[in-house]
Amino acid sequence: MKFSRQTTLRSQATVTGVGVHSGLPVSLTLGPAPVDAGFIFVRTGLDEADREVPAIAESVTATDFATVLGDREGPLVSTAEHVLAALRGMGVDNAIIEVDGPEVPIMDGSSAAFVAAIDQAGIVSQSASRRFIQVLKPVQVAIGDSFGELRPHANGFRVEVEIDFANPVIGRQNYSIDLSPESFRREISRARTFGCMNDQARLWSAGFALGASFENTVVFDDTRLLNPEGFRFSDECARHKVLDAIGDLTLAGLPLLGAYRSMRGGHKLNHAVLTALLADRSAWRVVDAEPARRPRGHVEAGAGMVGGMIAPAYGPDVS
């Protein structure tokens, strides 16, 4: 009999790079955390004592070009979404994320380096059962021509993204995924952030994209892709928007049981939909994964009973 338990990291793992917006060198260390801790950022390298901020929706201080987390004294960690996507996507429930600069390192613009760090650290099961936020009814938000929705979904967590850019190199793309460690690693983790060269001067003047380069960003002009190596996927931009959505929705604090749909969205829309869900207490409930009794038919290994339905484990049942 299997059941879905919470997981954390076996040991620490560190990555170093630069911040895509700040351009500053930064080191990030992933490490173990106790049961029910969730994801906690620890901002080190400050003149005063280290400061902690939980990775929850209430900690969001800005969503312009990245998701920024902070506390009453101000922002602490920018561009949190890529490492959070890796942790949730790979089935980790609890982790400490130490960052010695104002921004998570961009690495190659995807979550691949963070997945590699999780692999290096290892994932271990903990004593408590995994808890979920189960979506009970649709919650919808429209911002201009952007639309987002969280709705009930019978099995696990699904993300459906559609983008529509005037730039013909990107154009209209869509991508959908039923999240599991295997699908995240294979389909989403390597999709890189992207931007248009024409926006560069405006972003620089606003203090953004100071660390952007061909090594960490997919870059376009009006008619062509400028990166010499080309795309990793023909629909890489849509896949990266899925990655961002997974990271932003990790700020629910628990893995979601539901489906998220985004049209022409981004960090602001992702956060608005999550905030709308959490504000409506009739739209969700917290449920525990329980031991799965094997019926006469086959039950997938690693599945658990959640609220009376079979829900796949988000991570491996390891020890």
Side-chain angles (χ1 to χ4, degrees), residues 131-174:
R131 297 185 301 150
F132 300 84
I133 289 177
Q134 181 184 4
V135 179
L136 300 177
K137 68 179 186 180
V139 173
Q140 302 172 343
V141 173
I143 303 176
D145 62 354
S146 300
F147 173 81
E149 176 188 50
L150 274 165
R151 67 179 189 271
H153 183 61
N155 197 12
F157 181 48
R158 179 174 174 83
V159 180
E160 305 162 354
V161 163
E162 179 179 318
I163 60 175
D164 189 4
F165 284 82
N167 188 303
V169 185
I170 307 173
R172 189 168 186 171
Q173 301 177 17
N174 59 77

Side-chain angles (χ1 to χ4, degrees), residues 37-39 55-57 88 93 131 133 249-255 274 278:
F39 303 130
I56 56 176
R88 178 65 75 223
D93 293 292
R131 297 185 301 150
I133 289 177
L249 295 178
T250 296
L251 298 172
L254 295 172
L274 178 59
L278 297 177

Side-chain angles (χ1 to χ4, degrees), residues 266-304:
H267 301 298
K268 187 180 298 294
L269 180 69
N270 298 338
H271 180 62
V273 176
L274 178 59
T275 300
L277 174 77
L278 297 177
D280 185 350
R281 284 300 286 110
S282 68
W284 58 277
R285 64 176 177 173
V286 175
V287 293
D288 286 348
E290 302 169 357
R293 295 181 179 179
R294 185 173 300 276
R296 293 180 181 177
H298 173 70
V299 175
E300 181 181 355

Side-chain angles (χ1 to χ4, degrees), residues 21-22 64-65 199-210:
H21 294 301
S22 67
D64 296 323
F65 307 109
D199 295 329
Q200 196 71 22
R202 177 177 60 86
L203 291 171
W204 282 344
S205 65
F208 294 104
L210 301 179

